[in-house]
Amino acid sequence: MSDRVINFGAGPSALPESVLQEATQGLLNFNGTGIGIAEISHRSKEFTAFLAEVEGLIRTQLDVPQTHSILFTQGGGSAQFSAIVLNLLARHRLLHPDLPNDERVMDYVITGSWSKKAADEARRLGGGKVNVAVDARPYSKDGKSFDNIPAHDAYSLSPDPALIFYCENETVDGVQFASDASSPSSFPFHLLANSTLPPLVGDYSSSFMSRPIPRLADHAVIYAGAQKNIGPAGLTILIVRKDCLVDVDAAAKLGAAPVPFTMAYKTLADNVSVYNTPSVLPIYISGLVLRRSQQLGGVKYYEELNKKKADKVYAAIKEGEAKGVFRAKVKEGSGSQMNVVFDVVGDGAEAKFISGAEALGMKAIKGHRSVGGIRISLYNAVTEEQTDVLVAYMKDFLAQL
């Protein structure tokens, strides 16, 4: 294993080495069956028992109430941009069958590239109109960047929307909602006070299992791709409130758009996530990661660890800003603990920073192609010791200038 590097990639991301080693055994012989996990039937008693264990590990560590189902599917967050629209518009149609489409509203909180793409998909699919409840760009330093979480008084939510969408952590832009309810950059849950079953949808793809989810029970749907904190690409995890497991065919008879079987939440729930073949191998590796997480102390353990890691990197950026070498991309208080983004100032300085890091075995730190700069992803599997190597390099880089 000596040729492995430190992977700061935004996803697919680093996984614990102990899990990867354990998974190699399962590839040959899963749970003593004599069949590898990539070969075994998804309907075998051994795999369905493991799937139930994975569900239990998520439910226990995130304290998911019995009012919500935990489902496993494919397609990542991008597929859920479509699925949430189709399922929650179907629910809204059943609740309000006579409401015309131009009065059926979907609220979107746009704080970065992914929430913008989600809103674009909702407009493309139709069936209701998109209300931008808040757009972070007018509140940015330059009036056009995603560099902040807007204050609570900037939001304008609709009275009875079909859904309210937000992306908890924007992987590209490096902004994240604060978990502390007293922070001005937290999600304004108090604006949902008049609704007993708010249609709140949270995209947690890049922060899932990194810390507790505030007001989880108030969410209609939470979803996450596995490939950031808990497993390989190919698995999407859903937490769906049971009132959102609606009969989409009944809604279609009332005028809602038909929903493909594999995207209908009720289909997934009724068939215990095995209506069709799920992502068997990613589920297996995710289960191993979740077992390890539980042994370490779950999301509370990672919340403390990830804060320590992020605080160290942000402190190094501040040191670099004082010297005119680094420039933070995100306003203070809105920065992500998962994806720390900054610029290296000066002609050729960014390329020099990246090549120097790679020479020391630190890979995948270049920012997203749409925004450039540097992006350091500090997912659960990135250790504090690995983070310290990066911080030491950042300080050495400053000292050489």
Coordinates of all heavy atoms in Angstrom, one line a residue, residues 73-121:
T73 N -31.2 3.4 -4.3 CA -31.4 3.4 -5.7 C -30.2 3.8 -6.4 O -29.1 3.7 -5.9 CB -32.6 4.4 -6.0 OG1 -32.9 4.3 -7.4 CG2 -32.3 5.8 -5.6
Q74 N -30.3 4.2 -7.7 CA -29.2 4.6 -8.5 C -29.4 5.9 -9.2 O -30.4 6.5 -9.1 CB -29.0 3.5 -9.6 CG -28.7 2.1 -9.0 CD -28.8 0.9 -10.0 OE1 -28.3 1.0 -11.1 NE2 -29.5 -0.1 -9.7
G75 N -28.4 6.4 -9.9 CA -28.5 7.6 -10.7 C -28.0 8.9 -10.1 O -27.9 9.9 -10.7
G76 N -27.6 8.8 -8.8 CA -26.9 9.9 -8.1 C -27.9 11.1 -7.9 O -29.1 11.0 -8.1
G77 N -27.3 12.2 -7.4 CA -28.1 13.4 -7.2 C -28.8 13.9 -8.4 O -29.9 14.4 -8.4
S78 N -28.2 13.7 -9.6 CA -28.8 14.3 -10.8 C -30.1 13.6 -11.1 O -31.0 14.2 -11.6 CB -27.8 14.1 -12.0 OG -26.6 15.0 -11.7
A79 N -30.2 12.3 -10.9 CA -31.4 11.6 -11.1 C -32.5 12.1 -10.2 O -33.7 12.1 -10.5 CB -31.3 10.1 -11.0
Q80 N -32.1 12.4 -8.9 CA -33.0 12.9 -8.0 C -33.5 14.3 -8.3 O -34.6 14.7 -7.8 CB -32.4 12.8 -6.6 CG -32.2 11.4 -6.0 CD -33.5 10.6 -6.1 OE1 -34.6 11.0 -5.6 NE2 -33.4 9.4 -6.7
F81 N -32.8 15.1 -9.0 CA -33.3 16.4 -9.5 C -34.7 16.1 -10.2 O -35.6 16.9 -10.1 CB -32.4 17.0 -10.5 CG -31.0 17.5 -9.9 CD1 -30.0 17.8 -10.7 CD2 -30.8 17.6 -8.5 CE1 -28.8 18.2 -10.2 CE2 -29.6 18.0 -8.0 CZ -28.6 18.3 -8.9
S82 N -34.7 15.0 -10.9 CA -36.0 14.7 -11.7 C -37.0 14.0 -10.8 O -38.2 14.3 -10.8 CB -35.6 13.8 -12.9 OG -34.6 14.3 -13.6
A83 N -36.5 13.0 -10.0 CA -37.4 12.2 -9.2 C -38.1 13.0 -8.2 O -39.3 12.7 -7.9 CB -36.6 11.1 -8.5
I84 N -37.5 14.0 -7.5 CA -38.2 14.7 -6.5 C -39.3 15.5 -7.1 O -40.4 15.7 -6.5 CB -37.3 15.6 -5.7 CG1 -36.5 16.6 -6.6 CG2 -36.3 14.8 -4.9 CD1 -35.7 17.7 -5.9
V85 N -39.1 16.1 -8.3 CA -40.1 16.8 -9.0 C -41.3 15.9 -9.3 O -42.5 16.3 -9.0 CB -39.6 17.5 -10.3 CG1 -40.7 18.1 -11.1 CG2 -38.5 18.6 -9.9
L86 N -41.0 14.8 -9.9 CA -42.1 13.9 -10.3 C -42.9 13.3 -9.1 O -44.1 13.3 -9.2 CB -41.5 12.7 -11.2 CG -40.9 13.1 -12.5 CD1 -40.1 11.9 -13.1 CD2 -41.9 13.7 -13.5
N87 N -42.2 12.9 -8.1 CA -42.9 12.3 -6.9 C -43.7 13.4 -6.1 O -44.8 13.1 -5.7 CB -41.9 11.6 -6.1 CG -41.5 10.2 -6.6 OD1 -42.1 9.2 -6.3 ND2 -40.4 10.2 -7.3
L88 N -43.1 14.5 -5.9 CA -43.7 15.5 -5.1 C -44.8 16.3 -5.8 O -45.7 16.8 -5.2 CB -42.7 16.4 -4.4 CG -41.8 15.7 -3.4 CD1 -40.8 16.6 -2.7 CD2 -42.6 14.9 -2.4
L89 N -44.6 16.4 -7.1 CA -45.8 17.0 -7.9 C -46.9 16.0 -7.9 O -48.1 16.4 -7.8 CB -45.4 17.3 -9.3 CG -44.6 18.6 -9.5 CD1 -44.2 18.8 -11.0 CD2 -45.4 19.8 -9.0
A90 N -46.6 14.7 -7.9 CA -47.7 13.7 -7.9 C -48.4 13.8 -6.5 O -49.7 13.8 -6.4 CB -47.1 12.3 -8.1
R91 N -47.7 13.9 -5.4 CA -48.2 14.1 -4.1 C -49.1 15.3 -4.0 O -50.2 15.3 -3.5 CB -47.1 14.2 -3.1 CG -47.6 14.5 -1.6 CD -46.4 14.6 -0.7 NE -46.8 14.9 0.7 CZ -46.8 16.1 1.2 NH1 -46.5 17.2 0.4 NH2 -47.1 16.3 2.4
H92 N -48.6 16.4 -4.6 CA -49.3 17.7 -4.6 C -50.6 17.6 -5.4 O -51.7 18.2 -5.0 CB -48.4 18.8 -5.1 CG -48.8 20.2 -4.6 ND1 -49.4 21.1 -5.5 CD2 -48.7 20.8 -3.4 CE1 -49.7 22.2 -4.8 NE2 -49.2 22.1 -3.6
R93 N -50.6 16.9 -6.5 CA -51.7 16.7 -7.3 C -52.8 15.9 -6.6 O -54.0 16.2 -6.7 CB -51.4 15.9 -8.6 CG -52.5 15.6 -9.5 CD -52.9 16.7 -10.4 NE -51.8 17.2 -11.2 CZ -52.0 18.1 -12.2 NH1 -53.2 18.6 -12.5 NH2 -51.0 18.6 -12.9
L94 N -52.4 14.9 -5.8 CA -53.4 14.1 -5.0 C -54.0 15.0 -3.9 O -55.2 14.9 -3.6 CB -52.7 12.9 -4.4 CG -52.3 11.8 -5.4 CD1 -51.4 10.8 -4.7 CD2 -53.5 11.1 -6.0
L95 N -53.2 15.9 -3.4 CA -53.7 16.8 -2.3 C -54.6 17.9 -2.9 O -55.5 18.4 -2.2 CB -52.5 17.4 -1.5 CG -51.7 16.5 -0.7 CD1 -50.5 17.1 -0.1 CD2 -52.6 15.9 0.5
H96 N -54.2 18.4 -4.1 CA -54.9 19.5 -4.7 C -55.2 19.2 -6.2 O -54.6 19.7 -7.1 CB -54.0 20.8 -4.7 CG -53.5 21.1 -3.3 ND1 -54.3 21.7 -2.3 CD2 -52.3 20.9 -2.7 CE1 -53.6 21.9 -1.2 NE2 -52.4 21.4 -1.4
P97 N -56.2 18.3 -6.4 CA -56.4 17.8 -7.8 C -56.9 18.9 -8.8 O -56.7 18.7 -10.0 CB -57.5 16.7 -7.6 CG -58.1 17.0 -6.3 CD -57.0 17.6 -5.4
D98 N -57.5 19.9 -8.3 CA -58.1 20.9 -9.2 C -57.3 22.1 -9.4 O -57.6 23.0 -10.2 CB -59.5 21.3 -8.7 CG -60.5 20.2 -8.6 OD1 -60.4 19.3 -9.5 OD2 -61.2 20.1 -7.6
L99 N -56.1 22.2 -8.8 CA -55.2 23.3 -8.9 C -54.6 23.3 -10.3 O -54.0 22.3 -10.7 CB -54.2 23.3 -7.8 CG -53.4 24.6 -7.6 CD1 -54.3 25.6 -7.0 CD2 -52.2 24.3 -6.6
P100 N -54.6 24.4 -11.1 CA -54.0 24.5 -12.4 C -52.4 24.5 -12.2 O -51.9 24.9 -11.2 CB -54.5 25.7 -13.0 CG -54.9 26.6 -11.9 CD -55.4 25.6 -10.8
N101 N -51.7 24.0 -13.2 CA -50.3 23.9 -13.1 C -49.6 25.2 -12.9 O -48.6 25.3 -12.2 CB -49.7 23.3 -14.4 CG -49.9 21.8 -14.5 OD1 -50.4 21.2 -13.5 ND2 -49.6 21.1 -15.6
D102 N -50.1 26.3 -13.4 CA -49.4 27.6 -13.2 C -49.6 28.1 -11.8 O -49.0 29.1 -11.4 CB -49.9 28.6 -14.3 CG -51.4 28.9 -14.2 OD1 -52.1 28.3 -13.4 OD2 -51.9 29.7 -14.9
E103 N -50.4 27.4 -11.0 CA -50.5 27.8 -9.6 C -49.9 26.7 -8.7 O -49.9 26.9 -7.4 CB -52.0 27.9 -9.2 CG -52.7 29.1 -9.9 CD -54.2 29.3 -9.5 OE1 -54.5 28.8 -8.4 OE2 -54.9 29.8 -10.3
R104 N -49.3 25.7 -9.3 CA -48.6 24.7 -8.6 C -47.1 25.1 -8.5 O -46.4 25.1 -9.5 CB -48.8 23.3 -9.3 CG -48.8 22.1 -8.3 CD -49.1 20.9 -9.1 NE -50.5 20.8 -9.7 CZ -51.5 20.5 -9.0 NH1 -51.4 20.1 -7.7 NH2 -52.7 20.5 -9.5
V105 N -46.6 25.4 -7.3 CA -45.3 26.0 -7.2 C -44.3 25.1 -6.6 O -44.6 24.3 -5.6 CB -45.4 27.3 -6.4 CG1 -44.1 28.0 -6.3 CG2 -46.4 28.2 -7.0
M106 N -43.0 25.2 -7.1 CA -41.9 24.5 -6.5 C -40.9 25.5 -6.1 O -40.4 26.3 -6.9 CB -41.3 23.5 -7.5 CG -42.2 22.4 -7.9 SD -41.5 21.4 -9.3 CE -41.8 22.5 -10.7
D107 N -40.5 25.6 -4.8 CA -39.6 26.6 -4.3 C -38.1 26.0 -4.3 O -37.9 24.9 -3.9 CB -39.9 26.9 -2.8 CG -41.1 27.9 -2.7 OD1 -41.5 28.4 -3.8 OD2 -41.5 28.1 -1.6
Y108 N -37.2 26.8 -4.9 CA -35.8 26.4 -4.9 C -34.9 27.4 -4.3 O -35.0 28.6 -4.6 CB -35.4 26.2 -6.4 CG -35.8 24.8 -6.9 CD1 -37.1 24.6 -7.3 CD2 -34.8 23.8 -6.9 CE1 -37.5 23.3 -7.7 CE2 -35.2 22.5 -7.3 CZ -36.5 22.3 -7.7 OH -36.9 21.0 -8.1
V109 N -34.1 27.0 -3.4 CA -33.1 27.8 -2.7 C -31.8 27.6 -3.5 O -31.2 26.5 -3.5 CB -32.9 27.4 -1.2 CG1 -31.7 28.1 -0.6 CG2 -34.2 27.6 -0.5
I110 N -31.3 28.6 -4.2 CA -30.2 28.5 -5.1 C -28.9 29.1 -4.4 O -28.8 30.3 -4.3 CB -30.5 29.1 -6.4 CG1 -31.7 28.4 -7.1 CG2 -29.2 29.0 -7.4 CD1 -32.1 28.9 -8.4
T111 N -28.0 28.2 -4.0 CA -26.8 28.6 -3.3 C -25.5 28.2 -4.0 O -24.4 28.4 -3.6 CB -26.8 28.1 -1.9 OG1 -27.0 26.7 -1.9 CG2 -27.8 28.8 -1.0
G112 N -25.7 27.5 -5.2 CA -24.5 27.0 -5.9 C -24.9 26.3 -7.2 O -26.0 26.3 -7.6
S113 N -23.9 25.7 -7.8 CA -24.0 25.1 -9.1 C -25.1 23.9 -9.1 O -25.8 23.8 -10.0 CB -22.7 24.5 -9.6 OG -21.7 25.5 -9.7
W114 N -25.1 23.1 -8.0 CA -26.0 22.0 -8.0 C -27.4 22.4 -7.8 O -28.3 21.8 -8.4 CB -25.5 20.9 -7.0 CG -24.2 20.3 -7.4 CD1 -23.0 20.4 -6.9 CD2 -24.0 19.5 -8.6 NE1 -22.0 19.7 -7.6 CE2 -22.7 19.1 -8.7 CE3 -24.9 19.0 -9.6 CZ2 -22.1 18.3 -9.7 CZ3 -24.4 18.2 -10.6 CH2 -23.0 17.9 -10.7
S115 N -27.7 23.3 -6.9 CA -29.0 23.7 -6.6 C -29.6 24.5 -7.9 O -30.8 24.4 -8.2 CB -29.2 24.6 -5.4 OG -28.2 25.6 -5.4
K116 N -28.7 25.2 -8.6 CA -29.1 25.8 -9.8 C -29.5 24.8 -10.9 O -30.5 24.9 -11.6 CB -28.0 26.7 -10.4 CG -28.3 27.4 -11.7 CD -27.2 28.2 -12.2 CE -27.5 28.9 -13.5 NZ -27.8 28.0 -14.6
K117 N -28.7 23.7 -11.0 CA -29.0 22.6 -11.9 C -30.4 21.9 -11.5 O -31.1 21.5 -12.4 CB -27.9 21.6 -12.0 CG -26.7 22.1 -12.7 CD -25.6 21.0 -12.9 CE -24.5 21.5 -13.7 NZ -23.4 20.5 -14.0
A118 N -30.6 21.8 -10.3 CA -31.8 21.2 -9.8 C -33.0 22.0 -10.2 O -34.0 21.5 -10.7 CB -31.8 21.0 -8.3
A119 N -32.9 23.3 -10.1 CA -34.0 24.2 -10.5 C -34.2 24.2 -12.0 O -35.3 24.2 -12.5 CB -33.7 25.7 -10.0
D120 N -33.1 24.2 -12.7 CA -33.2 24.1 -14.2 C -33.9 22.8 -14.6 O -34.7 22.9 -15.6 CB -31.8 24.1 -14.8 CG -31.1 25.4 -14.7 OD1 -31.8 26.5 -14.4 OD2 -29.9 25.5 -14.9
E121 N -33.7 21.7 -13.9 CA -34.4 20.5 -14.3 C -35.9 20.6 -14.0 O -36.7 20.1 -14.7 CB -33.8 19.3 -13.6 CG -34.4 17.9 -13.8 CD -34.4 17.4 -15.2 OE1 -33.9 18.1 -16.1 OE2 -34.8 16.3 -15.4

